């Protein structure tokens, strides 16, 4: 599933990135073409004006003695040429050397293009292509009844060749863009998928752990149902079934609570008086564990409040107190202390129980983590309590910390903002 998502994202990102970079590249190229075209056109206009001026100055002399100049133009240099006409007769010509020049002169001598409009003249000579931009202007000398015309030309063959070469460079650039887009897309897709993959892995792990935990009580129930079928009066079987059903119901309740909290980012609850929840709860648990010689005690000033949903505060205290009862011998102390300062309310649950090994401490808030799996099952623990407690505290922007010494006892400290 994650792989399919990754592939889809990769294709989408690659297409977007490639499209954007291609658009930028083509835009840049179009801008370059427009700018260079404008530069060429304006220099051609300037040249035409110069040639007109010169032709006007020399028109009389040229009408007596026409001029023909051959310019050693190559197809790899930007050369200007000009042709001058008087009453339709070519008086002055400047042309590239050789056959290309003759062909050009032949074409210009039949000049019929409108004045002021740039046209392209194509010539092919000895297997080489030539391109010329041509621009003409005509005027009449009313006094003498003379019609003049000047055609200015620019050999743009090298420009065309360079453009052709750039086309192949362009292809290389497009390939490079394609590769870079793929690379960037794969990085982006990987980054986007990482948290989803992590959440998916955790979800799978959670479902598999939960199913595993439910399997044991279900098989116990099945076994004892069979025993009951044979011995309907078996009271032990009934008691075991009752305990296992209670365990399963606790597990399902915790799973539901965890799942509900998962979808919430932050909770802001209403003011709760801590003592009103803590004292009855301690009493209730002491009543359940009436065999203890050392009942749990609670110290909490009556005015202390926390902003928390009642059910969450109750569940948090129950988890911490339940654990203290589970892991503290009957003759050892369990104490809850609640205090407050201007920023935080502090709830400390301290016991003189079995404590937690330093190696286990970093893991106890992980889901389904139990220090001693065998013993915990007997005590009804699934390793979900502290994980749920931490989730609750964090949703209220609080902190939960633990201090423990093996064989001496454990303290859970909860800090909740006002
Ligand atoms: P469980 O429901 O199994 O108690 P928790 O998530 O509440 O699961 O606790 C995780 C583990 O942390 C327990 O298996 C237990 O070994 C240890 N633990 C929690 N509280 C205490 C405590 N007060 N004293 C000693 N060990 C504790």
């Amino acid at each position: 599933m994650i792989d399919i998502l990754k592939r889809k994202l990769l294709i989408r990102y690659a297409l977007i990135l490639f499209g954007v970079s291609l658009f930028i590249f083509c835009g840049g190229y179009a801008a370059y073409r427009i700018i260079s075209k404008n530069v060429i056109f304006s220099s051609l206009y300037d040249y035409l004006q110069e040639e007109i001026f010169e032709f006007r100055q020399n028109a009389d002399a040229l009408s007596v003695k026409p001029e023909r100049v051959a310019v050693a133009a190559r197809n790899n240099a930007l050369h200007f040429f000009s042709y001058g006409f008087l009453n339709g007769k070519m008086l002055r010509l400047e042309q590239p050397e050789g056959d290309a020049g003759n062909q050009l002169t032949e074409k210009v001598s039949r000049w019929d293009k409108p004045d002021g409009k740039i046209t392209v003249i194509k010539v092919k000579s000895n297997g080489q292509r030539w391109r010329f931009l041509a621009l003409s202007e005509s005027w009449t000398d009313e006094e003498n009844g003379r019609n003049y015309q000047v055609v200015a030309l620019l050999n743009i063959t090298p420009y065309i060749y360079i453009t052709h070469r750039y086309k192949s460079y362009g292809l290389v650039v497009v390939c490079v863009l394609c590769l870079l887009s793929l690379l960037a897309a794969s990085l982006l897709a990987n980054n986007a998928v990482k948290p989803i993959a992590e959440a998916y892995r955790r979800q799978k792990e959670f479902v598999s752990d939960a199913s595993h935990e439910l399997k044991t009580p279900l098989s116990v129930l099945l076994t004892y149902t069979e025993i009951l079928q044979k011995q309907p009066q078996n009271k032990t079987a009934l008691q075991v079934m009752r305990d296992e059903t209670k365990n399963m119901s606790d597990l399902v309740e915790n799973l539901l609570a965890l799942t509900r909290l998962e979808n919430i980012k932050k909770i802001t609850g209403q003011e709760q008086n801590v003592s009103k929840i803590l004292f009855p709860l301690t009493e209730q648990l002491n009543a359940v564990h009436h065999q203890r010689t050392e009942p749990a005690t609670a110290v909490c000033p009556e005015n202390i409040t926390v902003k928390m949903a009642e059910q969450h505060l109750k569940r948090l205290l129950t988890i911490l107190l339940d654990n203290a009862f589970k892991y503290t011998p009957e003759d050892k102390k369990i104490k809850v202390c609640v205090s407050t300062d201007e920023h935080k309310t502090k709830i400390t649950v301290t016991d003189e129980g079995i404590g937690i090994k330093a190696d286990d401490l970093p893991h106890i808030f992980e889901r389904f983590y139990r220090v001693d799996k065998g013993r915990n099952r007997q005590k009804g623990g699934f390793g979900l309590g502290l994980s749920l407690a931490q989730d609750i505290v964090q949703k209220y922007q609080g902190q939960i910390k633990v201090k423990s010494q093996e064989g001496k006892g454990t303290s859970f400290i909860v800090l909740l903002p006002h």
Side-chain angles (χ1 to χ4, degrees), residues 348-392:
T348 314
V349 181
T350 309
D351 65 58
E352 293 176 352
I354 60 170
I356 305 164
K357 270 195 244 151
D359 288 352
D360 290 311
L361 272 181
H363 304 288
I364 56 166
F365 293 101
E366 288 168 17
R367 285 179 186 183
F368 294 106
Y369 188 86
R370 286 166 298 188
V371 173
D372 181 342
K373 287 194 194 271
R375 190 163 63 178
N376 281 43
R377 251 202 66 70
Q378 285 162 17
K379 289 179 186 280
F382 290 97
L384 282 180
L386 287 179
S387 162
L388 185 55
Q390 189 183 47
D391 268 13
I392 293 173

Side-chain angles (χ1 to χ4, degrees), residues 2 193-203:
I2 297 292
V193 157
K194 225 181 252 172
I196 304 170
E198 176 58 20
Y200 185 62
R201 186 194 62 77
R202 281 183 50 187
Q203 197 68 28

